[in-house]
Amino acid sequence: MAEEKNEAQAPRAVTYAPRIQVFEPHRASLPPIRGYMREFWRRKRFSLELARFADKAEYLDSNLGKVWLVLNPLLLAFVYFLLVTVLRGGSDKAHGFTTLAHILIGLFTFYFAQNVISDGAQSITQGGRLILNQAFPRTLLPLSSAIRSFWQYLPTIPVYIAVVILGKIFIPKADVHIFSWALLWIPYVTACLALTAFGMALIFATMNVYFRDTSKLLSYTTRIWLYGSPVLWLPEMLHGWHRVILYVNPLGPALAATSEIWIRGHAPTLAQLIGLLVWALIAMVFGGYFFISRERDFAVRI
Amino acid sequence: MLIDMPDDLAVRIEDLSITYKINVDTKKTLKNAVMRASKGEKVRMRTVEAVKHMNLDIPHGSVLGIVGANGAGKSTLMRSIAGILPPSEGRITVNGKISTLLALGVGFNPALSGRDNIILGGLASGLSKEEIANKTDEIAKFADLPDGFIDMPVRTYSSGMYGRVAFAVAVAMTPDILLLDEALSAGDAAFKEKSFLRMRELVKEARTIVIVSHALQTVKDLCTHAIWMHKGEILAKGEPGAITEKYLDFLNVGTLPSNDEDF
Ligand SMILES: Nc1ncnc2c1ncn2[C@@H]1O[C@H](COP(=O)(O)OP(=O)(O)OP(=O)(O)O)[C@@H](O)[C@H]1O
Ligand SMILES: [Mg+2]
């Protein structure tokens, strides 16, 4: 920003605002990162509006489509809940309800991350003409998908709260917290989770340009990923070195922390807090480098 | 920043080459890649040199016409000036804000209205929301669609209406450099007249225009310079009249009026 101002103030003989750009060959290297960030920041609004318009185009006049976005994970949560309780054969209502609440908030959160990743992964290959005809930082496209996924995630929270309140009315013994000070950790957890998912979206979006079946592969992978995440099972079920499973999974710390906060009303553990930050950093650094160093190739390969 | 660029140049192209790498075998999938690797096969690549060692200076305030046969590399050159395609060799230096209207049209989303698309296009090219809000009416007015169509989904547009909006957006960005790749081909005579006027205004403000067109009459009418591209190289450059003559001779069709008509 400061640079632009200096340029504008410098006396020039010409009337147009000069902005010199140089395009040179590159070999999978980063473009000048400051200029890139400046362009990115200047057009952040584009991501937002693209998300808004994409929403508008998809649900042009069907509010039913939007309802479905919430209904789908809700119904799925009930199916999983039935499955889990039947398999375990428990009949304790209060405990059953805790399991349901855990699955519900876990699934909503997992879906948020999954949507960021899978929609982001397709954002470049579906960018088509926009990519062929306009020069702009390509990270804006997966960012736009992430924004959309976040909007879809937001209404699921009140749905979760409503279910828990209903549950507490009908099963007074239910041991599920709703409002506690621990909720103050939610912005941190959500931000780290969003960054982790966004970084992974950058990786898969790049791969999808080179291998078009990446996104299809991803849809199978996320299903397995779900079973490996503490959504259908509780983090407390793991003991000793098995707890590693929680932390090698990029979404593990976020899902464990979410359950900790919502269900038990506890602040996340230190290990979870660190795990969240570490995964967010790893994903952003690797994803950012992988994507930005190759994004100038996208137009040739689309 | 130290860049060796004379003040009066809008674009300088030095020894520019652009190569496409095309995977000729199969679809680009992970499955195929793994299958091929397991059989020890290598990917067969074909390279297309779309632009070859080109040198070109485009001064501010000039209108450059580019003519040439299909596949000569004109669109490729335009995309690389816009910063969309990276050079394989050489260097492009651009001085000024670029606005593009390239062959496939803008990144229009067919499900959205013309107005929404104008906003999106403007934001993508770096305008602020307020700047666009101020310009949307101006753009809509310039495009001059039949009543109400600006708020209809773009998929209901005829190709000429589509072209009108795209052109209106491109010129409304008040670019220093305007790149038009077969932009006027679908417009009717009235709109053509209007867009010519607008382009002349831009040139008066010392802005630069590069036009790719198969309509030689357009090139003759509008341009101050012209180049003839052939297989990625510049065969001739100079005064538009002379270049289009040469190109026509090459095409060996003579100056039939019908040839001048369609662009
Ligand atoms: N995306 C692409 N991938 C691979 N090769 C391409 C791609 N786009 C263009 N080419 C090749 O590059 C060469 C130049 O193409 P280009 O589109 O620049 O031609 P053009 O002069 O614009 O032609 P036209 O008059 O038909 O628009 C052609 O040989 C074409 O096959
Ligand atoms: Mg072309």
Side-chain angles (χ1 to χ4, degrees):
Chain A
M1 286 315 263
E3 266 185 22
E4 257 182 12
K5 251 193 196 126
N6 284 341
E7 270 176 19
Q9 280 161 0
R12 295 265 175 180
V14 279
T15 50
Y16 49 86
R19 234 186 65 203
I20 294 188
Q21 283 176 287
V22 181
F23 306 123
E24 279 179 323
H26 66 283
R27 294 275 169 269
S29 66
L30 291 175
I33 204 71
R34 272 184 63 200
Y36 186 92
M37 286 325 248
R38 192 168 55 212
E39 287 299 303
F40 179 84
W41 191 245
R42 204 156 71 91
R43 291 170 207 214
K44 56 190 181 309
R45 197 63 195 254
F46 168 63
S47 274
L48 196 72
E49 295 297 318
L50 187 62
R52 210 162 63 82
F53 282 130
D55 242 23
K56 192 169 158 187
E58 194 166 335
Y59 307 110
L60 223 35
D61 12 54
S62 84
N63 285 318
L64 215 62
K66 281 192 168 160
V67 172
W68 181 244
L69 285 175
V70 177
L71 215 57
N72 183 38
L74 194 65
L75 291 176
L76 212 67
F78 278 109
V79 171
Y80 281 130
F81 166 68
L82 287 179
L83 218 69
V84 168
T85 42
V86 165
L87 282 182
R88 224 181 321 109
S91 59
D92 178 6
K93 263 192 195 164
H95 185 244
F97 185 69
T98 310
T99 312
L100 174 66
H102 169 77
I103 291 178
L104 202 57
I105 193 67
L107 213 56
F108 285 162
T109 311
F110 186 88
Y111 266 41
F112 166 49
Q114 181 190 319
N115 286 341
V116 172
I117 296 171
S118 56
D119 291 358
Q122 294 176 46
S123 62
I124 299 299
T125 42
Q126 289 179 352
R129 290 177 173 188
L130 210 50
I131 291 197
L132 279 177
N133 289 333
Q134 294 255 21
F136 59 86
R138 307 304 188 197
T139 37
L140 289 168
L141 293 179
L143 177 67
S144 173
S145 309
I147 293 173
R148 256 189 101 189
S149 306
F150 183 66
W151 288 342
Q152 297 177 356
Y153 168 61
L154 278 182
T156 62
I157 298 298
V159 169
Y160 166 79
I161 293 175
V163 170
V164 172
I165 290 176
L166 276 181
K168 279 171 107 63
I169 291 172
F170 289 108
I171 313 165
K173 273 193 297 174
D175 185 23
V176 179
H177 278 77
I178 308 182
F179 300 109
S180 67
W181 287 109
L183 289 184
L184 292 176
W185 283 103
I186 287 292
Y188 172 81
V189 174
T190 311
C192 286
L193 176 66
L195 287 176
T196 307
F198 180 60
M200 300 185 71
L202 291 180
I203 295 174
F204 289 118
T206 313
M207 277 180 67
N208 205 31
V209 172
Y210 295 90
F211 305 109
R212 293 305 160 90
D213 52 352
T214 304
S215 56
K216 206 186 286 170
L217 201 72
L218 201 58
S219 67
Y220 300 118
T221 319
T222 47
R223 208 152 304 168
I224 299 169
W225 199 344
L226 173 64
Y227 303 144
S229 301
V231 172
L232 305 186
W233 42 273
L234 294 168
E236 294 86 49
M237 291 177 180
L238 296 174
H239 298 289
W241 67 269
H242 285 279
R243 293 190 72 82
V244 168
I245 293 176
L246 281 180
Y247 296 95
V248 294
N249 175 357
L251 306 180
L255 291 165
T258 304
S259 176
E260 194 81 32
I261 294 170
W262 282 106
I263 308 290
R264 304 167 108 209
H266 289 176
T269 65
L270 187 65
Q272 287 166 354
L273 291 177
I274 295 174
L276 273 162
L277 191 65
V278 168
W279 272 119
L281 285 176
I282 292 177
M284 284 308 290
V285 169
F286 274 87
Y289 178 77
F290 193 56
F291 186 98
I292 296 174
S293 62
R294 280 167 181 77
E295 70 165 58
R296 285 171 292 181
D297 244 19
F298 292 170
V300 194
R301 291 176 182 273
I302 251 176
Chain B
M1 242 195 316
L2 269 176
I3 296 167
D4 177 30
M5 173 89 163
D7 247 8
D8 60 334
L9 285 190
V11 180
R12 162 164 275 188
I13 295 169
E14 294 159 285
D15 196 33
L16 175 73
S17 295
I18 295 175
T19 318
Y20 288 104
K21 285 198 182 64
I22 311 171
N23 182 346
V24 277
D25 279 347
T26 35
K27 278 198 288 185
K28 299 193 295 183
T29 61
L30 207 58
K31 194 176 121 211
N32 288 334
V34 171
M35 297 260 276
R36 224 181 286 106
S38 68
K39 284 188 220 149
E41 284 175 27
K42 276 180 82 179
V43 187
R44 272 194 295 152
M45 288 290 220
R46 223 188 93 197
T47 54
V48 177
E49 269 205 296
V51 175
K52 297 172 195 161
H53 301 287
M54 177 181 276
N55 286 291
L56 182 67
D57 283 345
I58 309 175
H60 278 295
S62 63
V63 184
L64 177 72
I66 304 179
V67 297
N70 294 132
K74 305 181 296 292
S75 299
T76 306
L77 177 65
M78 296 287 262
R79 289 218 165 84
S80 66
I81 296 175
I84 297 165
L85 288 180
S88 313
E89 272 176 61
R91 183 211 296 233
I92 303 169
T93 316
V94 173
N95 185 358
K97 193 176 96 180
I98 291 187
S99 174
T100 53
L101 180 43
L102 301 177
L104 295 170
V106 217
F108 278 174
N109 183 336
L112 295 173
S113 72
R115 198 180 293 278
D116 291 349
N117 271 298
I118 291 171
I119 295 172
L120 269 188
L123 288 170
S125 58
L127 291 187
S128 72
K129 190 88 194 288
E130 292 70 40
E131 284 175 289
I132 298 164
N134 293 337
K135 277 181 178 161
T136 312
D137 286 333
E138 181 196 325
I139 293 172
K141 204 169 148 219
F142 188 89
D144 192 22
L145 299 184
D147 45 43
F149 261 97
I150 198 75
D151 292 309
M152 300 272 280
V154 166
R155 72 183 139 76
T156 63
Y157 287 18
S158 72
S159 46
M161 285 156 71
Y162 186 96
R164 278 171 173 241
V165 177
F167 183 85
V169 171
V171 290
M173 300 299 158
T174 53
D176 300 316
I177 301 159
L178 178 63
L179 305 175
L180 300 172
D181 191 347
E182 289 166 46
L184 302 171
S185 48
D188 55 27
F191 190 71
K192 228 178 273 178
E193 198 56 45
K194 198 163 154 186
S195 38
F196 279 20
L197 279 175
R198 186 77 184 89
M199 283 194 268
R200 292 214 172 88
E201 274 171 37
L202 287 175
V203 175
K204 254 188 227 144
E205 297 164 18
R207 299 178 201 276
T208 311
I209 304 179
V210 183
I211 299 173
V212 168
S213 182
H214 291 293
L216 300 182
Q217 195 57 47
T218 309
V219 174
K220 260 195 256 180
D221 286 352
L222 270 177
C223 298
T224 53
H225 309 260
I227 61 174
W228 169 13
M229 274 185 79
H230 189 63
K231 294 188 177 164
E233 287 169 305
I234 297 180
L235 265 196
K237 58 175 121 180
E239 193 266 318
I243 297 296
T244 48
E245 283 300 304
K246 274 191 198 166
Y247 177 53
L248 268 183
D249 282 347
F250 165 78
L251 290 178
N252 205 13
V253 285
T255 34
L256 289 172
S258 69
N259 199 309
D260 285 341
E261 212 85 329
D262 83 356
F263 70 61

